[in-house]
Amino acid sequence: MKKHNFSAGPSILPQEVFEKASQAILDFDNTGLSLIEISHRSKEFVAVYNKAVALVKEILEVPSTHEVLFLQGGASTQFLMSAINLIKNDGGKAAYINTGSWSTKAAKEAKNFGEVIEVASSADTNHNYIPKGYEIPTDVDLVHFTSNNTIFGTQFQAYPETEAPLVADMSSDIFSKPVDVSKFGIIYAGAQKNLGPAGATLVIVKKDILGNTGRAIPSMLDYQVQIKGESMFNTPPVFAIYVSMLNLEYMKAQGGLKVIAKANEEKAAMLYQEIDNNPSFVNHVAKEDRSLMNVVFLLNDTSRDAEFLDACTAAGISNVKGHRSVGGFRASIYNAMPKESVQALINIMKKF
């Protein structure tokens, strides 16, 4: 039976990527060595790293003002790394838009380095919308937001406007659509949604915003050190970078982000249409803020939740149970999720 994996992350990747990665584990590039035993300083892996960086720059149209890094520690390390690199040591301030768990955690880390101003929040309705109409102070060192919330199923359709460096956690919607990178000071994303396996963290940083805090920054957390070392200040996550490179090649071959975005819009439209037209289900997210990556929904009769999950399991559908913060169900439909898997879920929903 075909498995339909709707996991919020680590998530599915294209089968072609899995197959190439599997071969590299046994024999990488006809070296007679496994990918995971070669030196990260070898010409073979340096070529992989350089290609991964070049593909990120090409696919996202990264301007020359920005640098691309593959680091470790996930988005959770970037919560503090972005803050320590941008918030001034003396009287520094940072503005945060609170749309759920991840932005809350990011703001918590930033408080270690300066004053944090929450300029907007959707907590009043358990984060089922994206705040609008807020004002951003002009004297802040950064403005931070989470572009897509995996737990609550919301997504920014337009990005905040500010003169301060704009910092975005794009872990769950990076590479799902075109992005104007020039508008951002820092974009960071854990790889394990649309890019690659867990272990690598993509960071795109504008170089001229660095080195202005007046504080001492530990080497591992200093973007300037990491840029100088080309992400190899210490041993990088070799396997995760290689698989990310394979997936970037795959994305390019599909036609790039405009093609990928169209497919994502179509998949989401299919699922939201079923939710809206099926009287047994409901989605409480503001329609204009619905995520194209993480679709959350509830049964009106919650006593049937277990029955629905059992039906999904019988059909080969996995990981659709909702996060404990909202309950119900969640279908994560990242880039590699085929329409046939979305249709398989819809077929089960129709029976309810």
Side-chain angles (χ1 to χ4, degrees), residues 88-223:
K88 290 182 174 60
N89 190 43
D90 185 12
K93 299 178 183 177
Y96 279 70
I97 301 168
N98 180 9
T99 54
S101 302
W102 310 118
S103 49
T104 299
K105 290 180 179 181
K108 178 184 177 182
E109 297 298 333
K111 289 176 182 177
N112 292 309
F113 309 109
E115 179 184 353
V116 169
I117 303 165
E118 187 180 273
V119 295
S121 173
S122 56
D124 57 328
T125 58
N126 199 30
H127 302 296
N128 69 351
Y129 70 98
I130 297 295
K132 303 168 189 70
Y134 47 84
E135 292 187 7
I136 298 174
T138 58
D139 61 343
V140 294
D141 300 319
L142 67 89
V143 178
H144 181 283
F145 74 104
T146 305
S147 59
N148 181 80
N149 195 295
T150 56
I151 294 175
F152 299 98
T154 61
Q155 186 175 25
F156 278 78
Q157 307 304 326
Y159 299 138
E161 296 286 340
T162 176
E163 294 299 318
L166 187 60
V167 179
D169 176 359
M170 291 192 180
S171 293
S172 53
D173 64 354
I174 192 80
F175 293 109
S176 69
K177 60 182 179 179
V179 174
D180 185 353
V181 175
S182 69
K183 293 183 178 296
F184 293 85
I186 298 172
I187 293 172
Y188 63 85
Q192 65 274 11
K193 316 287 187 179
N194 279 329
L195 179 54
T201 307
L202 176 68
V203 178
I204 305 172
V205 57
K206 190 176 183 184
K207 290 172 281 190
D208 68 6
I209 66 174
L210 303 175
N212 302 314
T213 63
R215 72 168 80 246
I217 302 174
S219 297
M220 275 292 289
L221 302 180
D222 190 331
Y223 289 128

Side-chain angles (χ1 to χ4, degrees), residues 247-318:
N247 197 32
L248 288 162
E249 286 183 327
Y250 181 85
M251 283 188 257
K252 180 180 177 179
Q254 299 309 299
L257 295 184
K258 288 183 179 179
V259 173
I260 289 169
K262 185 174 184 293
N264 286 332
E265 289 165 3
E266 290 172 354
K267 289 183 295 184
M270 290 169 58
L271 192 47
Y272 283 120
Q273 182 178 26
E274 178 61 27
I275 293 167
D276 291 339
N277 293 335
N278 188 326
S280 294
F281 295 94
V282 64
N283 171 282
H284 291 306
V285 175
K287 285 191 175 182
E288 69 273 16
D289 301 325
R290 284 174 165 178
S291 171
L292 299 184
M293 298 285 97
N294 310 98
V295 179
V296 296
F297 54 100
L298 302 155
L299 270 166
N300 284 314
D301 181 1
T302 57
S303 69
R304 302 186 72 192
D305 282 8
E307 181 186 352
F308 179 74
L309 290 173
D310 287 344
C312 286
T313 299
I317 296 168
S318 63

